[in-house]
Amino acid sequence: MARQMIRDVIRDTIDAEMARDENVIMLGEDIVGGMGSPGGPEAIGGIWGTSGGLWAKYGSDRVIDTPISESAIIGAAAGASLTGKRAIAEIMFADFIGVCMDQIWNQVAKFRYMFGGKSKCPIVIRMPYGAGYNAAPQHSQSIHAMVTAMPGLKVVMPTTAADVKGLLTTAIRDDDPVIFLEHKALYGLKGEVPDGEYLIPFGHARQVTQGDDVTILATGMMVGFAEKAAAQLAQDGIGCDLLDLRTTSPLDEEAIMDSVERTGRLLIVDEAPPRCSFATDLSALVANKAFASLKAPIEMVTGPHSPVPFARELESAYVPSPDKIVAAAVKAMSYRRG
Amino acid sequence: MARQMIRDVIRDTIDAEMARDENVIMLGEDIVGGMGSPGGPEAIGGIWGTSGGLWAKYGSDRVIDTPISESAIIGAAAGASLTGKRAIAEIMFADFIGVCMDQIWNQVAKFRYMFGGKSKCPIVIRMPYGAGYNAAPQHSQSIHAMVTAMPGLKVVMPTTAADVKGLLTTAIRDDDPVIFLEHKALYGLKGEVPDGEYLIPFGHARQVTQGDDVTILATGMMVGFAEKAAAQLAQDGIGCDLLDLRTTSPLDEEAIMDSVERTGRLLIVDEAPPRCSFATDLSALVANKAFASLKAPIEMVTGPHSPVPFARELESAYVPSPDKIVAAAVKAMSYRRG
Amino acid sequence: MQHSREALIQAYRQMKTIRVFEERLHDEIALGEIAGFTHLYAGQEACAVGVCEHLGPKDYIISTHRGHGHCIAKGCDVVGMMKEIYGSSDGLCKGKSGSMHIADINKGMLGANGIVGAGAPIAVGAGITAKSNGTVSIAFSGDGACNQGTTFEAMNMAVVLKLPVIFVFENNHYSEHTGESYAVGAESMTVRSAAFGMKAIKANGIDFFSVYDAMRELIEYCKAGNGPASIELDTERFYGHFEGDPQRYRGKGELDRLREERDCLKVFRTKVTEAKLLEGADIDAIDAEVEALIERAVVESKAAPRPTADHVLEDVYISY
Amino acid sequence: MQHSREALIQAYRQMKTIRVFEERLHDEIALGEIAGFTHLYAGQEACAVGVCEHLGPKDYIISTHRGHGHCIAKGCDVVGMMKEIYGSSDGLCKGKSGSMHIADINKGMLGANGIVGAGAPIAVGAGITAKSNGTVSIAFSGDGACNQGTTFEAMNMAVVLKLPVIFVFENNHYSEHTGESYAVGAESMTVRSAAFGMKAIKANGIDFFSVYDAMRELIEYCKAGNGPASIELDTERFYGHFEGDPQRYRGKGELDRLREERDCLKVFRTKVTEAKLLEGADIDAIDAEVEALIERAVVESKAAPRPTADHVLEDVYISY
Ligand SMILES: Cc1ncc(C[n+]2csc(CCOP(=O)(O)OP(=O)(O)O)c2C)c(N)n1
Ligand SMILES: Cc1ncc(C[n+]2csc(CCOP(=O)(O)OP(=O)(O)O)c2C)c(N)n1
Ligand SMILES: [Mg+2]
Ligand SMILES: [Mg+2]
């Protein structure tokens, strides 16, 4: 067990997999940094510090710094992965999926299906996402709903240092395409990381807190906020069953059903805007499959139907907060059928 | 009142608006057809036949045929609309949003917000969508969830000839960006169209059938299927309250609530895959706001979590059918709280 | 042109197979036998075959919406292709793909593609693998696709990474209904490609030998580690953009003239017979063979099993 | 260089305003006063001002993530910009945009843009309007953005539609941490632009007069209906890519040398004083004015009102 920052766990995990399998390669903008500059390569190692030292160790054929061309980055990673490599592509901000979505949605996600099950494309697309940096509307978005909706993709949203190691290792070794979403505000977070080989299977939620009154479902940054809220609610005698879903596709339906059947109340926390979101996805699942157990309306705490604004006051009003989560839980608890 | 095919209604409506306002322009691939060819311009007038004759009437400065460059098509339409034009952009298949999503999502949808409310971008983006042509995974998709989720966009999904005229006129005169989704399989459908100026405000659902037993919500192609199902269910004494939502953003929440409070049962029909979909959006809305009225689990009939397959047998198994809708309604009716 | 008799017979058989495959599809589609959108390759055979006769299974190609010719030239099973287009579960892609997405990874054929311009970036990735194998990666594109941003990005990235990728632009002078002279703003797509920093040449896309010789040079160039190259092939499309296209953009008598003067199969036959490399009889024998093969493909396809509802959710994932 | 005294003073004031604005931001950011990502324009002033001094409010420009200089040069209110960057509800964009999206449509400034390459297509659309107004549309891009597919598409479309669009590429030799020589595979971005079928020239991006004269020629050319043009400006970025950048990609002593030898403000001052067009005193007077303006902007920004939660849902739509 070592205590590490998430950004370092990512680099070390990629390093271990590159050492283990020579077919693993990386592509992205500035993942080496300094190519063609007076200062020379490895001047930076990724603007998020998630690939430092890898170019020096594995060279330009495996750690590939690219021009600003996201469609070509994903296309190149896809073509390499279709032909025997295992490519890890970094899109610097998840918001940039807008310029390369076709390659993800109509190519990578559909290859195997279109080709009658006769191909594999073991690609991992890493995308830093989320608000918290006052990075304004085009650099703060959460895109998990969009990719979760795409058949053919697996979608991972780790929240702890240990989970980052276990889930990224699984992602790199998975033969299906994986979207690996890293919350920007979590890169600096430290946590205990198991030594040696460590894999966490997809589709298994993590139980964060246990309780019998209300089920809270969250992912990414929202897990920590929900945990804060749960602690406060516990003081008021409200027991929260908080699940960190870890992967949105596949989804741990069983854990969700077990919990809701026990609590009868559901609260979903999602950083993204409300329409056609992952929050509505979970609500619809429960409203169909666990309706009989529901004692109260399904509550959702999400971002508003607006872009993510810049100013500190606006961004913090935009993002769900522990207080809003507490209020929603209390609302669910105080509901009485008229 | 004239009886017209939807493809002709689209052309005539654009024609009327271009005649009315010289700032209205059109851009798209082959919307003239034959540019730079021996046969010469207007050899076709749009592969869907929705712009025939317009180039001859309005010329190359207003009916602009473009290279195959969807990002530049949307960008050009956006830049023109930011500076005083009202551009109608045609993306030949909605599936191609993958190559131009940034311009729609991070530019057009966010301009006004990012610019502090000091700009307007009256653009209409027309996108033929949906299955039914055995056009295989990359030419058959329904993308309404993706765009409904994007704050800043309005999303229209007309189903009748009359609604196409009323909603397209409203869209072209609207000062906000509008995504206008045309189901490919409906272009040939005929219907009565009101003469003269005809506008339908956004956010007002159309009541298709009335009934007190189960509420059915549908859009586009699914409305006709649901209507068939409702007729069959009526024979078995099940009264369906079928709403054609017309616009997914804004959404007619009031009509939905009124109906569900009356029927206590909800069935949602959506051609798209199930995850993070418009179906789940509607379900979550009702599970939160009309929970007390619900007598049964919320049923959804949607496409499966897969791409749209090519073969006739596969595509028809993929798309929701009247039979599946009937079965789901019967299921909702026969539910008894354990 | 120093080609062995076997090589010439093989090249002709491939071109003829594509031609008959497409002509037969044209008829079958008219009969309403076949669903979906089909884009026929007839007229451009010398391009696909002139390129692919140089390639082995570890060389990669990626194709376009007009992919049948590339598939056949790269060795995809013709009967399996026909079954796919007929929507059979025995088809090369189990009826999931139809005409527009046929692929056979084991043959190095990375797929026809319904998204114009999507192939070039993927070919760059195959070029990364090719570089480590000492093989090459080929991106087929059209005169319309060359204007798509993805194609430009791919060209620049291939140059930056010095990859063995060859961008083959089949200029059949139309993108759907639009003339190439309208949509390509540059003096030519070749001049434009050259300015990206790659070797860029042209060849005669209705002459197998012109394409074949030019490609030999480019493949040697790329395998020698010089980075990517591009080639523009002047060729012709004999049918509509898609089946059902009224082709009003054609000039008067254009199609008859093309069939008469610009048919790559006639050009080939004349060249090899005049040069006494093959007899007319050799060619007639291949024609008969090919006709029989395609006839069998159609007969088997009509009888082939159809997929069932339970297939819809198969092959979305390897494991989920 | 036949410039009126007023014109020279105006040009210098604009450049100096940008410089002081950016240097002050650099200090304020170091104090933790300002949130978000900020990309400073200092060093490139001659580019923005050399271009925009030709333009009126009906001429359009679209900018990049490094937009402050373009905004100021196009006439955006400097105090409103500073307030925006400070996140005030009195800011030019009500605190919604911050540094990366500042716009003022009435001034013909269509926005800084956080998406690299997104501006060029939008400039093509403004070019459609400009064509009907007899004005021009300018797309500012960098040496990194020139490799994005959207930029290439925009260039081709502008040529096809013969629009009065000028693609201004500010080559500051870096895209984030990557050298231009690595990311641009072509011999030069100018050679590449020319091959798209447009007039493409270079100018000295640290010399206002070089930029200004070259732009006069291009604007006349575009307004005459010749279609688009492009210009590459050789210039320098004085700060990091973003504030906080360690700049390890710089050469030894590079920054000092740039400040010493490649400062467009020094170049301007030397030229105009040696040519006796302005006195040192004139310039010192402007410097003082500008310092005072920026000081006021900062003081007012710190005191300016902050937005409140109820603003979040404002201006998503005009009506909904
Ligand atoms: C991204 C995208 N845009 C538009 C289309 C529609 N489309 C299909 S083929 C085609 C023309 C392609 O022309 P070209 O590249 O010359 O190939 P050709 O058809 O001549 O073989 C178009 C516009 C598409 N499939 N994908
Ligand atoms: C689509 C997209 N990709 C990547 C980025 C991240 N990014 C922001 S600025 C930048 C470098 C741009 O370089 P250049 O065009 O030379 O402009 P400069 O920073 O030198 O002014 C990058 C990669 C982005 N904002 N958008
Ligand atoms: Mg063509
Ligand atoms: Mg730069």
Side-chain angles (χ1 to χ4, degrees), chain B residues 25 27 60-61 64-85 99 102-103 106-107 109 111-121 148 150-154 174-177 248-251, chain D residues 58 60 62 84 90-94 96-98 101-106 109-115 117-119 121-126 128-133 150 153-154 156-157 160-161 311-320:
Chain B
I25 63 172
L27 300 91
S60 299
D61 286 343
I64 301 172
D65 211 319
T66 71
I68 305 170
S69 307
E70 282 77 9
S71 289
I73 290 171
I74 301 298
S81 300
L82 262 184
T83 53
K85 304 290 185 190
V99 294
D102 180 73
Q103 287 291 334
N106 283 327
Q107 310 303 326
F111 282 147
R112 184 176 177 81
Y113 194 78
M114 294 192 295
F115 302 165
K118 294 172 187 165
S119 68
K120 69 176 190 178
C121 187
T148 300
M150 297 175 181
L153 301 179
K154 294 176 178 175
D174 197 293
D175 280 340
D176 286 312
T248 63
S249 178
L251 181 66
Chain D
K58 282 277 166 207
Y60 306 106
I62 188 150
E84 183 58 37
D90 275 2
L92 208 52
C93 303
K94 300 186 187 166
K96 300 278 176 69
S97 128
H101 310 290
I102 299 177
D104 190 340
I105 306 297
N106 298 329
M109 200 300 174
L110 306 184
N113 205 309
I115 304 297
I122 298 167
V124 171
I128 292 171
T129 305
K131 190 178 181 182
S132 56
N133 292 348
T150 49
E153 284 188 6
N156 182 59
M157 194 175 291
V160 168
L161 302 179
H311 294 182
V312 171
L313 276 166
E314 283 177 9
D315 297 322
V316 179
Y317 297 92
I318 293 173
S319 69
Y320 194 70

Side-chain angles (χ1 to χ4, degrees), chain D residues 23-92:
Chain D
E23 287 182 330
R24 182 60 181 267
L25 271 179
H26 179 72
D27 299 340
E28 296 294 329
I29 289 164
L31 298 175
E33 285 281 335
I34 288 161
F37 296 129
T38 320
H39 306 89
L40 301 181
Y41 191 76
Q44 305 180 203
E45 294 85 352
C47 302
V49 177
V51 170
C52 294
E53 279 305 294
H54 288 287
L55 309 178
K58 282 277 166 207
D59 294 303
Y60 306 106
I61 71 166
I62 188 150
S63 174
T64 71
H65 56 285
R66 197 175 303 286
H68 304 167
H70 306 127
C71 291
I72 293 172
K74 197 67 170 62
C76 294
D77 173 55
V78 173
V79 178
M81 285 176 60
M82 188 65 82
K83 286 180 176 172
E84 183 58 37
I85 294 164
Y86 268 83
S88 164
S89 46
D90 275 2
L92 208 52

